[in-house]
């Protein structure tokens, strides 16, 4: 399997980044939904540890997503399946662009939210991210509401995106999913 994309294949770098980021984001969504619903009393330490993990993994996703965006610019984008109506091809591209945008925006919102809460974000003890917003509780509440809402919206979009991929594989029997698994063999 080659490193770079071709007009027909996703290369190894795009495939690894897609699935690594997908696993991390699905984990973050699940963890996020779980941790905010933990009661404070009696669960304080676990809740704080989970929020800390959520923040640091979120920043890791931001870094990987920036690399992915750069890689996307340096590579041709493999063609979408031409067997579906044009509106579905447009919907697929729009969904991919929304997901790409959100995997940058969502962690940036989380970072800004933490700054507004007066708690700087540390990255696995290696370094601390700068605070671009001053401590402000009203600002924190606004950013938190947007981050919470977008996190749930992202979960819905991922479900649609994954359902479409499975439909291509099991109903339409084309190679859309295989392409993203690095299994597609066509070279022409
Ligand atoms: C792609 C990355 C991220 C995703 C998909 C994500 C997703 C989520 C989700 C789904 C929730 C729970 C929402 C709810 O059920 O109401 C949440 C909560 C939270 N996230 Fe993230 N997040 C990401 C990155 C970050 C980052 C980088 C930070 C901070 C540096 C962060 C800080 C928080 C905090 C503090 C909460 C709890 C907010 C509250 O108490 O309501 N997140 N996130
Ligand atoms: C959970 C299961 C998932 C499945 C089965 C899946 C499947 C696929 C497939 C088959 C493609 C190739 C579409 C084509 O080019 O014809 C694709 C592309 C893409 N997927 Fe997913 N995906 C999943 C999760 C995610 C998640 C969680 C994200 C991000 C939040 C995501 C973002 C993208 C993006 C941005 C593309 C466009 C190609 C690229 O820039 O790498 N996917 N996905």
């Amino acid at each position: 399997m080659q490193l770079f994309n071709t007009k027909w294949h996703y290369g190894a770098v795009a495939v690894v980044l897609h699935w690594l980021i997908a696993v991390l984001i699905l984990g973050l969504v699940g963890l996020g939904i779980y941790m905010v619903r933990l009661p404070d009393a009696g669960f304080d330490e676990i809740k704080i540890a989970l929020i800390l993990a959520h923040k640091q993994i979120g920043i890791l996703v931001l870094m990987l997503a920036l690399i992915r965006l750069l890689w996307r610019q340096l590579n041709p984008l493999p063609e979408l399946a031409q067997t579906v109506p044009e509106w579905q091809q447009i919907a697929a591209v729009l969904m991919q662009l929304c997901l790409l945008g959100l995997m940058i925006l969502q962690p940036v919102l989380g970072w800004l939210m933490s700054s507004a809460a007066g708690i700087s974000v540390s990255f696995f003890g290696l370094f601390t991210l700068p605070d671009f917003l001053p401590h402000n509780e009203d600002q924190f509440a606004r950013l938190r509401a947007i981050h919470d809402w977008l996190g749930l919206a992202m979960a819905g979009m991922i479900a649609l995106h994954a359902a479409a991929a499975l439909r291509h594989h099991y109903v339409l029997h084309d190679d859309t999913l295989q392409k993203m698994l690095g299994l597609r063999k066509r070279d022409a």
Side-chain angles (χ1 to χ4, degrees):
M1 192 179 169
Q2 65 258 41
L3 284 184
F4 285 88
N5 295 354
T6 66
K7 212 175 156 213
W8 297 280
H9 300 83
Y10 283 103
V13 175
V15 169
V16 168
L17 282 172
H18 175 272
W19 293 110
L20 180 60
I21 293 176
V23 167
L24 291 175
I25 289 187
L26 286 172
L28 282 174
V29 170
L31 179 58
I33 291 173
Y34 174 70
M35 74 195 189
V36 297
R37 281 157 188 80
L38 279 179
D40 286 333
F43 286 89
D44 278 4
E45 276 183 23
I46 301 175
K47 190 168 179 171
I48 291 169
L50 291 181
I51 293 179
L52 202 68
H54 177 92
K55 289 178 169 189
Q56 310 193 83
I57 299 169
I59 297 300
L60 177 64
V61 166
L62 174 62
M63 293 171 177
L64 291 171
L66 290 173
I67 295 173
R68 178 172 184 179
L69 219 55
L70 182 70
W71 192 255
R72 226 178 111 104
Q73 296 310 310
L74 297 174
N75 277 259
L77 210 53
E79 278 179 7
L80 294 178
Q82 304 294 311
T83 44
V84 291
E86 204 182 328
W87 73 265
Q88 281 183 25
Q89 294 179 35
I90 295 172
V93 173
L94 284 179
M95 178 65 90
Q96 292 178 2
L97 292 178
C98 283
L99 289 173
L100 278 172
L102 282 175
M103 69 179 82
I104 308 269
L105 182 64
Q106 182 69 348
V108 168
L109 276 169
W111 175 1
L112 293 176
M113 173 194 4
S114 295
S115 299
I119 308 169
S120 305
V121 182
S122 147
F123 186 71
F124 299 104
L126 295 175
F127 56 87
T128 302
L129 274 73
D131 289 313
F132 291 116
L133 286 182
H135 185 183
N136 177 328
E137 290 296 324
D138 290 339
Q139 188 79 285
F140 165 58
R142 272 192 295 273
L143 290 167
R144 177 186 183 178
I146 303 174
H147 183 85
D148 283 359
W149 186 86
L150 269 187
L152 300 179
M154 237 175 137
M157 292 164 72
I158 292 167
L160 279 177
H161 169 79
L166 293 177
R167 178 171 172 267
H168 275 279
H169 190 71
Y170 289 107
V171 181
L172 303 175
H173 303 293
D174 64 30
D175 56 5
T176 300
L177 184 59
Q178 281 153 299
K179 209 170 43 167
M180 200 31 114
L181 290 167
L183 297 175
R184 200 180 185 205
K185 290 282 174 274
R186 182 155 76 105
D187 281 320

